[in-house]
């Protein structure tokens, strides 16, 4: 099957040969020359009447980028830039024939509502990174750090100042951007990359100062130039932001449990700091960080045994996270995953409820401190170093506070602590070097996790190291690229710790039919590799494509500080995309994509082949559709039977279709349907999604996203049991349903004072029946693959299934009833006031309900019994920060 990918690559090349001949030449770079302010700087009030603006001329002639690239925009825009020793000043004049049509919607920072205009500054002038500042007509700020020639990171929150004004010609905006918030070299005369984009809301139109191709090969690399920056002195930034938090938790008291008396209160404090070591490199510090205002993770259940990936949400780790990114190819696998730092303690205690003992385990490991050193030098070196220390975490164990619980006698047992997470040091360093006139780079990463292991946590690795190299080479105006990476990992620990890793679902060395790996309970280390190689066409013209492969060896292990879902995997892929960027009478833009993927393991087993197609159409009325489908004639998995033999699923076909109304309207709707069906009804999926967004007022927006899944299967894994000297793998029919809804409400009193609400109920039901055992795990016919238990073999009593496999009247093995219903509700109400730039006050009310429901009830009964009538847990907190800029 490897020849399929070779054939696909040949087809890709043949499809694009003619397209290359018609591609346009590269658009010349525009140049804007700024000048210094000689006297008083502009007053940032949105009114462009300051004398300082007369030092330079307007630059204009913005060109439409979307939808009709290269044409004059409906409304023109002008821009001016001046500077002094400490600041860069930017003025915009956005013409609009009817000022009454200017859309002044409000939103949270980085929401980009209504009409807006932005400036992008490539102060490193490296064609890969930049800083983006956006201001809406309503005064809402947006700021993003741009990495990898087009990845926008909105977690970056610099201090800068802006204001807007509406007049008879349209609207105007002024910005003051402190140079301390930017990064640049110390040359006497600076040359920066420059781009500006305007959104004209009425036509959903984007125009840019530097004209672009319809399918540019990147973003930052296509910037124009800002010249005239002479004598700028590097600004060594120093910001200190202390905080204090008062928190009250309330919950339903648990009789006898000394740790659950109904409420807890605490006051804490900490410190964040940002220190400019040079103007290129910055040191970020945090001591006892608080993340109380961060949204809770969405509800999710995984029946396949794998860890669920959740995005990082904590501000310290989110900011500039792209600096440390090192993906292995495909999915979320990454050498560095910051949520490992401060994770939930992994240990357990010896508390015994039968003897009246209760335990109190911390929800998270305490981050004593963390430091992050990052930046990019004028010589093209991008550097990132992160160091963090987490404390020992102990679980408190106490006896039932009622004196006569055990045998009617007072209890005099001692309170005790048990270690559940060791003292741990995390270290990450990342470097990249540009060369070849910034068309190429080579980089590396190194991570280290070191734990102070004690007997009670000896199942954890004592040390874990990983390292990698990556590169990318672009040519022909960045039209084509070749990129790749290589990763090496090593973990060390007790035989118990390494055995636990070998038998985890990520590795499964104990698989009964695997002859390329052996489970060795005496090993004290594992070393593995991973990597990726990809060639592609990334822009220019109407065709994009790529072809590549990635691998993760059986012994690769990254989960101490990275994220690795499954090792022992080799993937090959090819993709080709046709872009339709020239508007017609019925669409603004569209694209079609075809993909081919295949998978093998290191034993040489051919596990998967998938053919997929998808497309997107944005119509002239700004409605849109998304559609696609796939055919999977071969699906094998090594992990389904949790260490048992390789398993085969039936051939599968799936398709999806989504449609949405114009998202600019006060009320917009998106509806979608996903269907998957395997042969012989092995499994299926019906998913219905409905999303609403309503903005009745410029200051108020509401959104509701609902999803219902029905996902039955005849072969859901249940458990394993021994029958004599044979291993039995028990499966069952599952009727699986999921219902979730996410409500968000945003009310903006002004751009700096907002009220935000987030709420999500989540219900999952799993009802099992028709239990069966694996007969021939790789048989093509489902009836040969499994054997159902008949009525003479299986019985149910006291919530337990008893199996008399040989029908001799004696129970051979048992297993518990796997039916369950999971119910969760999480919500956050946050009042955020940025009372001065960079300093904030948060008022937060978080509420949560988590429990089990009755799988025999319908969703309405579960909502009534387990959600509406349950007593929630509440958290109230007040957090205040003040940012000192020195």
């Amino acid at each position: 099957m490897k020849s399929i990918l070779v054939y696909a690559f040949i087809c890709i090349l043949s499809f694009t040969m003619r397209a290359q001949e018609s591609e346009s030449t590269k658009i010349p770079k525009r140049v804007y020359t700024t000048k210094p302010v000689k006297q008083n700087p502009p007053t940032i009030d949105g009114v462009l009447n300051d004398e300082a603006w007369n030092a330079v001329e307007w630059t204009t002639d913005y060109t439409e980028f979307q939808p009709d690239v290269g044409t004059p925009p409906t409304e023109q825009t002008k821009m001016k830039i001046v500077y002094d020793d400490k600041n860069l000043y930017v003025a915009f004049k956005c013409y609009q024939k009817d000022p009454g049509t200017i859309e002044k919607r409000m939103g949270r920072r980085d929401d980009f509502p209504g009409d807006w205009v932005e400036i992008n500054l490539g102060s490193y002038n490296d064609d890969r990174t930049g800083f983006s500042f956006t201001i809406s007509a309503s005064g809402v700020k947006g700021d993003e750090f741009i990495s990898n020639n087009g990845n926008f990171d909105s977690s970056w929150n610099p201090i800068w100042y802006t204001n807007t004004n509406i007049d008879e010609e349209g609207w105007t905006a002024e910005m003051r951007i402190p140079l301390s918030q930017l990064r640049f070299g110390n040359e006497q005369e600076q040359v920066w990359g420059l781009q500006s984009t305007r959104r004209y809301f009425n036509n959903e139109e984007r125009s840019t100062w530097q004209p672009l191709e319809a399918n540019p090969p990147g973003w930052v690399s296509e910037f124009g130039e800002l010249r005239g920056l002479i004598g700028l002195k590097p600004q060594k930034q120093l910001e200190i932001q202390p905080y204090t938090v008062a928190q009250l938790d309330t919950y339903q008291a648990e009789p006898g449990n000394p740790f659950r008396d109904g409420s807890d209160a605490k006051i804490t404090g900490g410190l964040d700091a940002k220190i400019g070591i040079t103007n290129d490199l910055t040191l970020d510090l945090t001591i006892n960080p608080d993340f109380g205002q961060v949204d809770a993770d969405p509800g999710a259940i995984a029946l396949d045994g794998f860890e669920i990936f959740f995005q990082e949400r904590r501000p310290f780790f989110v900011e500039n996270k792209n600096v440390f990114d090192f993906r292995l190819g495909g999915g979320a696998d990454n050498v560095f995953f910051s949520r490992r730092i401060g994770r939930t303690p992994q240990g357990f205690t010896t508390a015994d409820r039968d003897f009246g003992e209760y335990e109190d385990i911390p929800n998270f490991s305490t981050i004593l401190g963390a430091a992050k050193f990052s930046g990019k030098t004028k010589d093209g070196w991008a550097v990132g170093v992160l160091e963090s220390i987490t404390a020992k975490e102990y679980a408190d164990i106490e006896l039932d506070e009622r004196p006569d619980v055990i045998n009617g006698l007072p209890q005099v047992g001692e309170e005790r602590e048990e270690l559940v997470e060791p003292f741990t040091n995390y270290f990450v360093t990342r470097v990249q070097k540009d060369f070849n006139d910034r068309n190429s780079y080579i980089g590396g990463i190194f991570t280290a996790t070191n734990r102070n292991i004690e007997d009670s946590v000896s199942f954890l690795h004592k040390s874990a190291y990983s390292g990698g190299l990556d590169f990318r080479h672009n040519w022909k105006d960045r039209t084509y690229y070749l990129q790749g990476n290589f990763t090496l990992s090593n973990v060390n620990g007790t035989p118990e710790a390494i055995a636990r890793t070998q038998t985890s679902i990520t590795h499964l060395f104990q698989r009964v039919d695997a002859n390329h790996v052996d489970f060795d309970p005496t090993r004290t280390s594992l070393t593995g590799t991973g990597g990726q190689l990809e060639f592609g066409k990334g822009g220019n013209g109407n065709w994009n494509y790529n072809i590549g492969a990635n691998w993760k060896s059986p012994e690769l292990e990254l989960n101490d500080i990275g994220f690795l879902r499954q090792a022992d995997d080799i993937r090959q892929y090819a993709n080709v995309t046709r872009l339709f960027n020239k508007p017609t009478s019925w669409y603004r833009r569209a694209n079609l994509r075809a993909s081919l993927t295949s998978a093998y393991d290191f034993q040489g087993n051919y596990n998967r082949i998938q053919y997929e197609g998808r497309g997107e159409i944005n119509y002239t009325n700004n409605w849109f559709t998304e559609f696609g489908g796939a055919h999977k004639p071969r699906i094998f998995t090594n992990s389904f039977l949790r260490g048992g033999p390789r398993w085969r699923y039936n051939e599968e076909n799936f398709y999806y279709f989504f449609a949405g109304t114009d998202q600019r309207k006060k009320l917009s709707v998106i509806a979608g349907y996903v269907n998957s069906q395997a042969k012989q009804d092995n499994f299926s999926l019906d998913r219905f999604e409905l999303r609403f967004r309503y903005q009745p007022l410029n200051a108020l927006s509401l959104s509701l996203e609902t999803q219902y899944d029905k996902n039955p299967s005849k072969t859901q894994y249940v458990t394993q049991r021994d029958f004599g000297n044979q291993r039995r793998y028990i499966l069952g029919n599952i009727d699986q349903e999921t219902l979730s809804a996410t409500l968000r409400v945003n009310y903006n009193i002004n751009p700096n004072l907002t009220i935000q609400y987030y709420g999500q109920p989540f219900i999952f039901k799993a009802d099992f029946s028709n239990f069966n055992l694996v007969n021939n795990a790789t048989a093509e016919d489902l009836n040969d693959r499994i054997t159902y238990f008949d009525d003479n073999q299986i019985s149910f009593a006291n919530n337990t299934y008893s199996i008399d496999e040989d029908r001799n009247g004696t129970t051979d093995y048992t297993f518990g009833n796997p039916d369950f219903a999971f119910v969760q509700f999480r919500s956050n109400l946050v009042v955020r006031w940025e009372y001065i730039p960079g300093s904030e006050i948060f008022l937060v009310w978080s509420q949560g309900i988590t429990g089990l429901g009755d799988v025999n009830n319908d969703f309405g009964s579960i909502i009534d019994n387990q959600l509406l009538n349950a007593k929630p847990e509440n958290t109230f907190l007040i957090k205040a920060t003040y940012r000192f800029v020195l």
Side-chain angles (χ1 to χ4, degrees):
M1 297 304 294
K2 295 181 181 178
S3 60
I4 294 177
L5 286 176
V6 176
Y7 175 73
F9 180 52
I10 294 172
C11 290
I12 287 171
L13 290 179
S14 64
F15 283 145
T16 57
M17 287 294 290
R18 294 181 182 177
Q20 304 309 315
E21 297 175 0
S22 61
E23 287 175 6
S24 60
T25 58
K26 189 172 180 65
I27 297 173
K29 288 184 178 288
R30 297 187 68 184
V31 176
Y32 180 77
T33 303
T34 182
K35 293 181 179 179
V37 175
K38 298 297 185 182
Q39 299 177 349
N40 295 327
T43 300
I44 307 302
D45 56 7
V47 181
L48 310 180
N49 57 2
D50 301 276
E51 181 66 24
W53 292 121
N54 294 329
V56 293
E57 299 295 325
W58 289 105
T59 181
T60 185
D61 294 329
Y62 281 56
T63 304
E64 190 171 322
F65 178 53
Q66 292 177 354
D68 197 357
V69 66
T71 63
T74 303
E75 298 284 4
Q76 194 51 258
T77 308
K78 291 182 177 180
M79 175 176 64
K80 283 186 176 184
I81 304 173
V82 296
Y83 67 96
D84 59 23
D85 291 343
K86 298 293 184 181
N87 301 281
L88 192 75
Y89 303 90
V90 186
F92 292 103
K93 189 167 184 63
C94 304
Y95 289 97
Q96 198 145 332
K97 296 181 182 65
D98 181 2
T101 63
I102 297 171
E103 191 65 32
K104 296 174 287 185
R105 293 186 184 179
M106 300 286 284
R108 296 189 291 182
R109 186 169 183 161
D110 300 325
D111 261 2
F112 307 104
D115 282 285
W116 53 257
V117 67
E118 77 177 20
I119 185 171
N120 294 169
L121 299 168
S123 55
Y124 287 122
N125 199 27
D126 62 357
D127 286 347
R128 291 179 58 212
T129 57
F131 304 90
S132 177
F133 301 86
T134 307
I135 182 65
S136 73
S138 60
V140 176
K141 285 183 185 179
D143 32 54
E144 298 168 295
F145 176 71
I146 313 171
S147 64
N148 295 328
N149 201 16
N151 291 339
F152 285 76
D153 180 2
S154 61
S155 65
W156 180 60
N157 289 318
I159 296 175
W160 57 293
Y161 306 84
T162 187
N163 218 324
T164 60
N165 182 62
I166 295 177
D167 57 31
E168 66 277 4
E169 293 183 307
W171 64 284
T172 56
E174 286 181 301
M175 298 178 179
R176 176 167 73 88
I177 303 171
L179 295 175
S180 63
Q181 306 300 298
L182 302 175
R183 300 290 172 266
F184 52 89
N186 56 6
E187 295 88 350
Q188 175 63 17
E189 183 173 358
Q190 305 275 332
V191 178
W192 293 0
L194 176 65
Q195 179 63 288
S196 174
T197 306
R198 178 185 173 185
R199 180 195 190 189
Y200 178 54
F201 184 88
N202 281 355
N203 288 359
E204 191 56 287
E205 182 180 291
R206 305 289 194 277
S207 57
T208 61
W209 174 76
Q210 168 66 49
L212 298 171
E213 296 282 357
N215 177 29
W219 184 255
V220 181
S221 61
E222 310 309 298
F223 283 3
E225 293 183 348
L226 174 61
R227 294 182 176 268
L229 298 167
I230 300 173
L232 292 185
K233 301 299 182 183
Q235 308 289 311
K236 293 186 178 181
Q237 180 183 15
L238 176 57
E239 299 175 7
I240 300 174
Q241 188 176 46
Y243 79 86
T244 184
V245 176
Q247 180 172 329
L248 172 66
D249 298 314
T250 66
Y251 46 84
Q252 186 170 8
E254 184 178 335
N257 188 341
F259 303 113
R260 302 284 294 178
D261 60 2
S263 66
D264 299 304
K266 64 179 180 180
I267 297 178
T268 60
L271 178 73
D272 295 319
K274 190 182 293 288
I275 304 169
I277 305 302
T278 69
N279 192 54
D280 300 317
L281 304 171
T282 302
L283 178 65
D284 293 275
L285 300 172
T286 184
I287 299 173
N288 191 30
D290 172 75
F291 308 115
Q293 78 278 11
V294 176
D295 282 352
D297 292 321
I301 291 289
L303 295 181
D304 59 9
F306 287 100
E307 177 183 7
I308 299 173
F309 177 83
F310 291 114
Q311 295 284 349
E312 176 64 87
R313 298 169 181 265
R314 300 170 296 177
F316 176 82
F317 295 106
V318 167
E319 186 174 359
N320 292 337
K321 64 181 182 296
N322 290 325
V323 172
F324 300 95
D325 198 48
F326 196 101
R327 297 182 180 273
L328 273 70
D333 292 344
N334 206 311
V335 172
F336 176 56
F337 179 45
S338 58
R339 288 189 67 141
R340 302 299 185 201
I341 302 173
R343 68 196 304 170
T344 300
Q346 301 168 81
F348 46 86
T349 75
T350 60
D352 191 339
R353 284 290 184 97
D354 292 338
F355 289 92
E357 292 181 331
Y358 288 91
E359 64 183 14
D360 182 29
I361 300 178
N363 291 325
F364 304 101
S365 302
T366 301
I367 301 174
L368 298 175
K372 183 166 54 177
F373 178 72
S374 61
K376 189 163 188 177
T377 71
K378 64 179 181 179
D379 298 324
W381 284 97
V383 180
V385 180
L386 186 145
E387 167 72 18
S388 182
I389 298 173
T390 59
K392 286 184 177 182
E393 292 295 343
Y394 290 91
D396 294 323
I397 299 174
E398 294 184 15
L399 286 172
D400 194 317
E401 64 181 12
R402 295 167 296 181
D404 58 350
V405 170
I406 308 299
N407 299 324
L409 298 174
Q411 301 304 301
V412 293
E414 295 181 358
E415 299 178 5
R416 67 183 187 274
E417 291 183 334
E418 295 185 3
L419 184 68
V420 290
E421 184 73 19
F423 179 87
T424 307
N425 183 84
Y426 298 95
F427 176 79
V428 185
T429 184
R430 180 82 161 101
V431 295
Q432 284 185 330
K433 176 66 170 72
D434 296 336
F435 62 97
N436 188 29
D437 195 26
R438 299 187 296 272
N439 284 306
S440 307
Y441 70 78
I442 187 170
I445 190 171
F446 174 76
T447 75
T449 304
N450 290 281
R451 298 186 176 93
N452 184 15
I453 295 296
E454 300 180 29
D455 288 344
S456 60
V457 289
S458 61
F459 62 89
L460 297 176
H461 297 144
K462 179 177 177 61
S463 63
Y465 305 103
S466 63
L469 298 174
D470 64 337
F471 74 91
R472 182 178 174 110
H473 173 58
N474 302 287
W475 67 94
K476 199 177 179 182
D477 295 328
R478 296 178 181 260
T479 301
Y480 303 99
Y481 67 89
L482 178 69
Q483 66 179 21
N485 61 54
F486 173 80
T487 304
L488 179 72
S489 72
N490 173 261
V491 294
N492 300 275
T494 64
E496 176 190 9
I498 301 303
R500 182 171 176 259
T501 301
Q502 292 179 80
T503 57
S504 69
I505 196 167
T506 301
H507 301 277
L508 296 173
F509 279 21
Q510 74 277 27
R511 272 178 46 214
V512 298
D513 58 347
N515 56 31
H516 64 302
V517 291
D518 292 306
F519 170 61
D520 183 351
T522 67
R523 295 186 68 170
T524 57
S525 68
L526 289 174
T527 300
T529 66
Q532 178 185 24
L533 185 65
E534 178 178 303
F535 163 76
K537 178 179 179 290
N540 294 323
N542 297 322
W543 294 87
N544 289 350
Y545 57 78
N546 62 25
I547 184 169
N550 59 71
W551 82 91
K552 296 139 192 173
S553 77
E555 294 188 336
L556 182 69
E557 172 56 33
L558 303 174
N559 287 315
D560 289 273
I561 196 171
F563 188 91
L564 177 64
R565 188 176 190 270
Q566 187 173 10
D568 193 9
D569 188 49
I570 302 170
R571 301 271 166 164
Q572 301 173 98
Y573 55 89
N575 303 284
V576 59
T577 303
R578 174 62 163 95
L579 303 166
F580 302 88
N581 288 312
K582 191 67 176 176
T584 68
S585 59
W586 63 280
Y587 69 78
R588 291 162 59 95
R589 57 188 176 275
N591 67 75
L592 295 172
R593 179 170 181 167
S595 303
L596 172 67
T597 60
S598 64
Y600 299 79
D601 63 27
F602 274 69
Q603 187 171 318
N605 292 314
Y606 170 35
N607 286 334
R608 179 180 290 259
I609 185 74
Q610 175 173 324
Y611 310 91
E612 183 174 358
R614 59 182 174 179
E616 300 175 3
I617 303 173
N618 179 225
Y619 301 100
T620 53
N621 62 356
N622 274 300
W623 287 44
F624 68 90
T625 56
E626 300 174 359
F627 52 89
H631 174 54
K632 303 178 185 179
R634 187 179 185 90
I635 311 172
F636 287 81
T637 174
N638 294 338
S639 61
F640 176 71
L641 295 179
R642 314 294 203 273
R646 183 165 164 256
W647 170 262
R648 179 174 193 154
Y649 282 109
N650 283 63
E651 179 179 315
E652 177 193 2
N653 295 293
F654 84 82
Y655 68 89
Y656 66 88
F657 183 85
F658 284 77
T661 64
D662 186 347
Q663 300 298 290
R664 299 173 304 158
K665 300 298 184 181
K666 296 287 187 180
L667 176 64
S668 61
V669 181
I670 298 175
Y673 175 65
V674 181
N675 176 269
S676 172
Q677 185 68 48
K679 284 188 174 181
Q680 297 183 281
D681 290 328
N682 187 174
F683 59 86
S684 66
L685 168 68
D686 287 289
R687 173 177 296 163
F688 302 88
E689 295 187 34
L690 195 57
R691 311 170 200 164
F692 300 92
R693 188 178 185 278
Y694 182 48
Q695 187 152 11
L697 307 171
N698 282 336
L700 176 65
S701 66
L702 305 92
S703 67
L704 177 65
E705 300 179 5
T706 60
Q707 180 174 312
Y708 170 73
D709 289 4
K710 187 172 180 61
N711 187 198
S713 173
K714 293 182 177 179
T715 55
Q716 174 59 48
Y717 177 84
V718 177
T719 191
Q720 304 178 26
R721 291 293 184 267
D722 287 326
F723 177 61
N725 60 358
Q726 296 179 325
R727 194 68 167 167
R728 293 297 192 234
Y729 300 94
I730 313 300
L731 314 180
N733 286 19
I734 185 174
D735 185 8
Q736 176 182 329
E737 293 181 274
T738 307
L739 179 65
S740 66
T742 302
L743 173 66
R744 295 183 185 273
V745 180
N746 295 314
Y747 182 69
N748 298 75
I749 298 172
N750 60 54
N752 299 314
L753 179 57
T754 62
I755 301 173
Q756 304 151 20
Y757 175 78
Y758 161 87
Q760 187 198 59
F762 175 85
I763 305 172
F764 178 91
K765 294 200 307 177
D767 189 4
F768 286 80
S769 62
N770 295 329
F771 295 97
N772 53 83
L773 58 83
V774 176
N775 182 39
N776 180 356
T778 58
E780 182 175 359
D781 191 300
L782 178 62
N783 297 314
D784 296 330
R785 205 177 309 147
I786 61 173
T787 301
Y788 287 95
F789 295 116
D790 62 35
D791 292 341
N792 295 324
Q793 292 177 298
I794 187 169
S795 59
F796 181 71
N798 299 322
N799 216 33
T800 300
Y801 287 94
S802 299
I803 306 297
D804 177 13
E805 186 173 325
D806 54 12
R807 302 180 181 87
N808 64 358
T810 302
T811 297
D812 296 308
Y813 46 87
T814 64
F815 58 89
N817 184 2
D819 292 353
F820 74 99
F822 177 77
V823 182
Q824 183 182 80
F825 174 75
R826 290 176 173 174
S827 69
N828 267 6
L829 178 64
V830 180
V831 179
R832 173 187 171 273
W833 177 31
E834 188 175 9
Y835 55 97
I836 58 175
S839 301
E840 301 168 316
I841 292 176
F842 292 92
L843 305 178
V844 181
W845 172 30
S846 297
Q847 190 175 76
I849 298 172
T850 301
L852 298 176
D854 187 342
V855 73
N856 296 311
N857 287 342
D858 57 24
F859 280 126
S861 299
I862 291 176
I863 292 172
D864 184 51
N865 296 333
Q866 274 74 45
L867 288 182
L868 300 180
N869 291 324
K871 186 174 181 179
E873 297 186 355
N874 296 279
T875 296
F876 304 90
L877 67 82
I878 301 175
K879 178 179 180 179
T881 70
Y882 186 85
R883 185 180 294 190
F884 296 92
V885 181
L886 306 175

